[in-house]
Amino acid sequence: MPEDRRSRAPQPHPEQTGGTAAEPTSAEVGRRLTPFQAVNLQFDRAAELLGIPEDLRISLKTPYREVMVELPLRCSDGEIRTFSGYRVQHDNSRGPMKGGLRYHPEVDLDEVRALASLMTWKTAVMDLPYGGAKGGINCDPKTLSDGDVETLTRRFTSRIERFIGAHEDIPAPDVNTNAQVMAWIVDEFAKYHGHTPAVVTGKPVALGGSEGRESATGRGVLFATERAAADMDLPLEGARVAIQGFGNVGSWAAQFFHDAGARVVAVSDVHGAAFDGDGLDIPPLREEASKARRIPEGAGAETLTNDELLIMDVDILVPAALGNVLHLRNAPDVQARLIAEGANHPTTPDADEEFRRRGVTVIPDILANAGGVTVSYFEWVQNLQRFRWKAERVDEELRAMMDTAYDSVREMATRHETDLRTAAFALAIERVAEATHLRGVG
Ligand code: NAD
């Protein structure tokens, strides 16, 4: 049987043994933080508020297990390329660990660690019976054939199969992975453990996936934004919205903002941004982008760069691509009053401080983009019960869970007179610390 709980934690990382407890808030220090240090800085800010002692903080921040595997692949062009695969399991005190799988050339251990820890805090904010994990392979799938991506996925699965499972650690799609990749994992995992659809979520519906999973993160971004906008007396009807990233999260968020009557004036992908001051016509744009696998050239009245999109004159900004895109150099120029973090850690700590100083409301990633893991949880529940929910039920339950989480974070923010990110971390830390305490350390 695999090990349980935190008792066999790996050696602490240098950045967890007190190093991040200091308060490096200047631009200079902010920029040299690694992603994991940046998340831990946010953790420490909230832990300070709660009076969590240093020894418990170190235990809560330290990942439970880190797996790194070599992945050699004979590509369809005949060349042998060697990739690195990672799975970081951060915490399982509240349940099996849960988190996506990312295929991107910049994937490295520190970033996967940061994303795994964010999953611990995200599942706790949503009060899901999960801990946090994340995985990735440092490849660029756009340079690989579909057959290569399948082989790589199967090889990775065969190397980590003993560490994942429906009651251990449940991967899901993230950047550059999708329902097809999850289907290959189900098939490969079955060779070792028998057919186990609940080993991953975000599967095709035909293979036990849930209705509403694909659109869930974008839908959750809208739900959280509706609540924050109402608190700010910012009507969504007619609000100007810019969205960076037009993949799963960004394109669905654009659709839902459009449906809610907002004016989505700019969207972007890795190639650049499309702009129309009157609002882009999102449904046909989504269709064309899905066929072309990019925003078509010439879409919108004008084209912009991704940097220009972030500082546009809009009411609401949704970063929904990669991390660290809002930093001290552009944060002073951001004009949006409300930022809904569709992406994970899009805001560096120093930019966050700038937004706090200027009174810009930021709905943090661990709340704003939690719709995906919430519907993943519904998928897992359906798999375990061998039962299917209708799309309407999925959307209703998602709305209820997003509203409850938003209310709890808001209440924490009011109680401690703090921002939504610090409040969300505080809520999550309280829940994980209580579970850790009840289960006992050692
Ligand atoms: P995706 O691969 O479907 O889409 C990513 C999008 O970002 C694409 O449009 C791509 O062109 C664009 N992009 C990539 N690099 C860029 C760059 N340098 N500048 C501008 N745009 C760039 O990925 P996704 O699943 O939509 O994930 C996006 C973000 O949301 C990630 O941070 C991910 O961790 C986070 N997230 C995803 C989910 C989910 O359910 N998929 C859930 C929670 C959080």
Side-chain angles (χ1 to χ4, degrees):
M1 283 291 287
E3 304 152 327
D4 190 23
R5 299 195 294 163
R6 316 187 52 83
S7 55
R8 266 163 265 188
Q11 291 302 304
H13 302 279
E15 60 268 43
Q16 291 170 285
T17 48
T20 53
E23 293 176 318
T25 51
S26 74
E28 191 200 358
V29 177
R31 269 201 292 278
R32 70 176 156 77
L33 293 177
T34 69
F36 190 49
Q37 287 173 325
V39 172
N40 284 340
L41 194 68
Q42 293 162 349
F43 172 100
D44 280 322
R45 206 182 140 80
E48 196 68 47
L49 205 67
L50 297 173
I52 303 276
E54 182 61 14
D55 55 354
L56 182 55
R57 285 192 207 184
I58 291 172
S59 164
L60 291 173
K61 285 188 283 189
T62 305
Y64 166 72
R65 181 193 278 136
E66 300 182 346
V67 182
M68 183 175 160
V69 293
E70 181 209 12
L71 300 169
L73 175 74
R74 184 178 293 283
C75 297
S76 35
D77 59 11
E79 192 188 322
I80 296 175
R81 291 193 230 168
T82 303
F83 301 99
S84 298
Y86 306 91
R87 188 74 188 168
V88 173
Q89 300 176 328
H90 180 261
D91 188 280
N92 61 1
S93 34
R94 304 181 79 253
M97 295 166 281
K98 187 90 191 76
L101 183 60
R102 174 177 292 202
Y103 290 176
H104 194 275
E106 281 165 27
V107 162
D108 66 20
L109 184 57
D110 186 88
E111 166 149 87
V112 177
R113 217 180 254 158
L115 293 166
S117 69
L118 278 177
M119 287 307 296
T120 298
W121 313 125
K122 190 181 301 182
T123 52
V125 165
M126 296 308 297
D127 209 7
L128 304 175
Y130 286 141
K134 200 81 177 192
I137 301 177
N138 65 347
C139 67
D140 182 358
K142 290 180 193 73
T143 65
L144 299 172
S145 70
D146 287 352
D148 291 341
V149 175
E150 177 176 352
T151 308
L152 194 59
T153 301
R154 289 183 182 280
R155 184 143 304 152
F156 182 57
T157 307
S158 72
R159 302 223 162 154
I160 64 161
E161 49 75 23
R162 77 199 75 162
F163 302 111
I164 62 173
H167 300 285
E168 288 297 319
D169 175 4
I170 306 137
D174 193 73
V175 174
N176 290 330
T177 58
N178 55 22
Q180 176 61 74
V181 172
M182 298 303 116
W184 291 325
I185 297 177
V186 167
D187 187 66
E188 193 66 25
F189 188 81
K191 293 176 187 166
Y192 300 88
H193 303 278
H195 187 54
T196 317
V199 65
V200 289
T201 58
K203 298 177 289 290
V205 173
L207 209 62
S210 178
E211 296 290 345
R213 171 59 185 90
E214 199 200 298
S215 57
T217 308
R219 197 183 285 280
V221 170
L222 176 78
F223 289 164
T225 305
E226 281 177 340
R227 296 298 308 278
D231 281 347
M232 298 166 64
D233 290 327
L234 168 63
L236 262 195
E237 180 83 38
R240 289 160 57 84
V241 182
I243 301 179
Q244 185 192 44
F246 207 60
N248 175 293
V249 180
S251 73
W252 279 110
Q255 178 70 55
F256 295 130
F257 275 104
H258 178 85
D259 294 348
R263 255 189 305 159
V264 180
V265 293
V267 297
S268 70
D269 64 14
V270 68
H271 306 286
F275 168 78
D276 189 329
D278 295 330
L280 294 157
D281 192 5
I282 297 297
L285 188 57
R286 285 191 68 241
E287 214 164 288
E288 288 169 42
S290 123
K291 276 190 212 137
R293 292 190 180 190
R294 56 168 295 176
I295 296 172
E297 276 180 75
E302 284 175 48
T303 51
L304 302 174
T305 65
N306 266 287
D307 288 346
E308 288 167 332
L309 176 141
L310 295 171
I311 57 171
M312 282 180 58
D313 178 15
V314 289
D315 302 297
I316 300 169
L317 175 64
V318 182
L322 298 177
N324 297 329
V325 295
L326 296 169
H327 41 71
L328 199 67
R329 273 159 295 154
N330 61 10
D333 299 325
V334 168
Q335 298 187 62
R337 294 167 58 196
L338 174 58
I339 299 173
E341 295 186 334
N344 284 312
H345 73 85
T347 309
T348 63
D350 45 19
D352 212 26
E353 197 169 291
E354 165 73 9
F355 294 143
R356 265 196 297 275
R357 193 184 62 73
R358 283 176 38 210
V360 176
T361 299
V362 179
I363 314 174
D365 44 10
I366 58 174
L367 175 61
N369 71 33
V373 70
T374 303
V375 175
S376 273
Y377 163 62
F378 299 158
E379 178 175 331
W380 181 73
V381 166
Q382 293 171 70
N383 292 156
L384 295 182
Q385 297 187 341
R386 307 280 191 271
F387 190 76
R388 277 191 188 281
W389 296 4
K390 291 199 164 43
E392 297 72 33
R393 177 169 178 196
V394 171
D395 295 348
E396 255 171 51
E397 301 264 1
L398 174 62
R399 160 77 79 179
M401 291 196 77
M402 291 297 300
D403 280 352
T404 303
Y406 182 84
D407 287 341
S408 307
V409 171
R410 195 84 198 79
E411 195 273 321
M412 184 68 99
T414 307
R415 179 151 38 106
H416 289 285
E417 295 181 358
T418 191
D419 58 287
L420 294 178
R421 188 187 314 278
T422 308
F425 266 87
L427 178 67
I429 294 168
E430 255 185 12
R431 288 176 173 165
V432 177
E434 187 184 5
T436 302
H437 173 72
L438 288 169
R439 292 181 67 159
V441 177

